[in-house]
Amino acid sequence: MPVEITWWGHATCTVEDTGTRVLTDPLFTRRLAHLRRRRGAPPPPSAARADVVLVSHLHADHLHVPSLARLAPGTQVLVPRGARRSVPGLRRLDALRITEVEPGDVVKAGGVSVRAVPAEHDGRRLPVGPHRSPALGYVVTGEARTYFAGDTGLFDGMAEAVGAVDVALLPVGGWGPYLGPHHLDPARAAEALARIGPRSAVPVHYGTYWPIGMDAVRPHEFHAPGDEFVRQAALAAPEVAVHRLGHGESVRPEVAR
């Protein structure tokens, strides 16, 4: 069966490959602190069905303990090294099989292998706490090689760290009117495509959550990143097929045979 990618919103995706369901950064809530979901219904209960879950870093919109609590008992969850020490709520999820990883670690999960790779991002559990855990991306290898970047900026050695991949799930925006450092906007995400050289790409991490009461503040930063990434990618990496999905939509991208 070809690999299938479903985007549920923000950084939450399901990657189905070789009979294995991989779920990234699950966030199933309508509201998170000062953020509310402005586009797309929250993922359906079926989205929580996964063989392995990948958590990229400790920020609450990526490591969301109530969303992880919806996973079936026994689900394997990969988190950055030190996560359980920094996020006490993880220690209460004793029905899950939580494994801490760092760049270079490889974990077998069903019919795929998962390799943790570096990301250029603040890995702390904000707003408090020292920088105890690395921010990660992951490369899932089965029938396809799928790179989930998590949250990251461009960094030296990015292409070498990620390696050859078929599909890249890249963040192209954020959840507020201004992107901080160590993020990808559409232009930088297009540069990442040019460096990595996948066959296909899916933009994520935009157009889902926005601060309450700030609907009129730089609204183009909420609405435009997906289309702008398509435009920028056509200039920087025209050989890459870009699939801009709506919330809950799926694609079966072409992979190398």
Side-chain angles (χ1 to χ4, degrees):
M1 175 181 176
V3 63
E4 183 172 89
I5 312 292
T6 303
W7 182 48
W8 301 112
H10 203 52
T12 306
C13 300
T14 294
V15 179
E16 294 189 66
D17 191 339
T18 322
T20 303
R21 286 177 62 93
V22 181
L23 178 65
T24 67
D25 286 352
L27 187 59
F28 299 147
T29 185
R30 291 185 180 274
R31 179 172 175 176
L32 175 64
H34 64 298
L35 305 178
R36 66 180 174 89
R37 189 171 182 122
R38 288 189 57 203
R39 183 178 290 172
S46 60
R49 183 168 59 86
D51 299 294
V52 61
V53 175
L54 313 180
V55 174
S56 63
H57 62 288
L58 305 191
H59 293 175
D61 58 320
H62 293 260
L63 195 169
H64 186 242
V65 173
S67 294
L68 293 175
R70 297 190 188 185
L71 301 172
T75 302
Q76 187 173 16
V77 181
L78 306 187
V79 299
R81 173 184 44 78
R84 281 178 290 197
R85 177 181 57 194
S86 299
V87 186
L90 280 178
R91 298 197 289 269
R92 295 193 294 270
L93 302 179
D94 54 5
L96 304 178
R97 295 188 293 127
I98 297 176
T99 302
E100 297 191 355
V101 295
E102 59 187 357
D105 287 348
V106 177
V107 177
K108 183 73 173 177
V112 303
S113 64
V114 180
R115 175 169 55 92
V117 300
E120 180 65 31
H121 196 67
D122 185 350
R124 292 177 296 172
R125 182 68 164 184
L126 299 177
V128 296
H131 191 153
R132 292 179 176 171
S133 295
L136 302 174
Y138 295 93
V139 176
V140 178
T141 300
E143 182 174 335
R145 295 161 297 181
T146 302
Y147 170 47
F148 169 60
D151 241 354
T152 188
L154 293 168
F155 58 91
D156 292 340
M158 187 178 200
E160 293 76 14
V162 172
V165 293
D166 298 294
V167 187
L169 312 179
L170 292 180
V172 301
W175 49 252
Y178 300 99
L179 274 178
H182 313 304
H183 290 83
L184 295 179
D185 62 10
R188 292 194 292 269
E191 171 61 23
L193 278 193
R195 295 185 186 188
I196 297 167
R199 298 173 67 91
S200 302
V202 176
V204 302
H205 203 274
Y206 77 99
T208 309
Y209 291 90
W210 204 248
I212 294 170
M214 297 187 70
D215 291 8
V217 180
R218 295 176 64 85
H220 64 283
E221 297 288 356
F222 178 84
H223 293 287
D227 288 334
E228 180 62 12
F229 173 69
V230 172
R231 188 183 74 83
Q232 295 279 356
L235 298 174
E239 70 284 359
V240 179
V242 176
H243 305 278
R244 189 182 69 79
L245 302 178
H247 294 83
E249 290 186 346
S250 303
V251 66
R252 292 182 174 179
E254 182 182 354
V255 301
R257 296 293 181 180

